[in-house]
């Protein structure tokens, strides 16, 4: 192995390590919560908002052609929310851009993530996976007061 090859191998190892650690740093500094896929033995078929206490909520979303159920939810500022998403028909997206929430609603499965809403406002939910003719009107809203 000549000197140039050794240099290229060393450089590629260093670059890989830098990229790997920058992902770890970005993940912790943005507090990114990677969505998990829950084995769905008992899939729910209707959306609901469950208040565990004043600032702890579980929101169960059903994404279907072409709406989110529930369409609109109001929660208090500072709420920690477990978001559950499923679909009875085709694959949909579940995106809350300002909270860095990016999940898929997959038939036969439940996707879950946890988010804290620490600022008041309206948080639009959009479907970001093409799901048919009226994909573009598929929206919901979380209102934080
Ligand atoms: Cu649902 Cu696009």
């Amino acid at each position: 192995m000549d000197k140039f090859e050794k240099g290229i191998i060393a450089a590629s190892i260093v670059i890989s390590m830098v990229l790997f650690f920058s992902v770890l740093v970005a993940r912790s500094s943005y507090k990114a919560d990677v969505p998990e896929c829950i084995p769905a033995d008992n899939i729910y078929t209707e959306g609901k908002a469950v208040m565990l206490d004043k600032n702890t909520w579980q929101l169960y979303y059903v994404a279907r052609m072409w709406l989110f159920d529930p369409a609109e939810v109001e929660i208090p500022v500072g709420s920690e929310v477990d978001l559950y998403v499923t679909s009875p028909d085709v694959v949909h997206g579940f995106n809350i851009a300002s909270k860095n929430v990016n999940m898929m609603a997959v038939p036969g499965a439940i996707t879950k993530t946890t988010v804290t809403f620490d600022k008041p406002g309206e948080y639009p939910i959009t479907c970001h996976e093409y799901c048919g003719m009226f994909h573009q009107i598929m929206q919901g809203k979380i209102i934080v007061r």
Side-chain angles (χ1 to χ4, degrees):
M1 189 180 296
D2 78 17
K3 209 172 157 187
F4 180 73
E5 282 179 311
K6 285 181 184 168
I8 292 294
I9 289 170
S12 59
I13 289 171
V14 168
I15 289 170
S16 300
M17 298 304 280
V18 167
L19 292 176
F20 178 75
F21 285 106
S22 62
V23 167
L24 292 183
V25 168
R27 185 180 188 277
S28 59
S29 60
Y30 286 104
K31 296 191 175 80
D33 183 25
V34 178
E36 52 187 301
C37 193
I38 301 169
D41 304 327
N42 45 356
I43 292 247
Y44 55 92
T45 53
E46 286 181 21
K48 63 182 173 186
V50 179
M51 185 176 79
L52 301 181
D53 65 51
K54 187 176 166 284
N55 285 315
T56 313
W57 291 71
Q58 292 178 327
L59 301 182
Y60 291 85
Y61 278 96
V62 177
R64 58 164 55 97
M65 291 172 166
W66 286 277
L67 54 85
F68 291 105
D69 172 25
E72 203 173 295
V73 176
E74 198 173 312
I75 55 173
V77 178
S79 295
E80 184 179 286
V81 179
D82 289 332
L83 294 167
Y84 298 87
V85 183
T86 190
S87 165
D89 42 43
V90 298
V91 174
H92 297 274
F94 186 97
N95 180 246
I96 306 174
S98 57
K99 294 307 291 181
N100 207 19
V101 171
N102 182 346
M103 297 196 285
M104 303 306 291
V106 181
I110 299 170
T111 313
K112 183 203 170 205
T113 195
T114 303
V115 184
T116 302
F117 290 89
D118 39 21
K119 288 186 185 140
E122 293 191 353
Y123 294 82
I125 302 165
T126 51
C127 178
H128 63 301
E129 180 73 21
Y130 181 72
C131 56
M133 195 160 51
F134 295 109
H135 157 72
Q136 75 279 0
I137 64 161
M138 188 167 167
Q139 298 209 327
K141 193 189 288 179
I142 296 176
I143 300 167
V144 179
R145 286 181 210 268

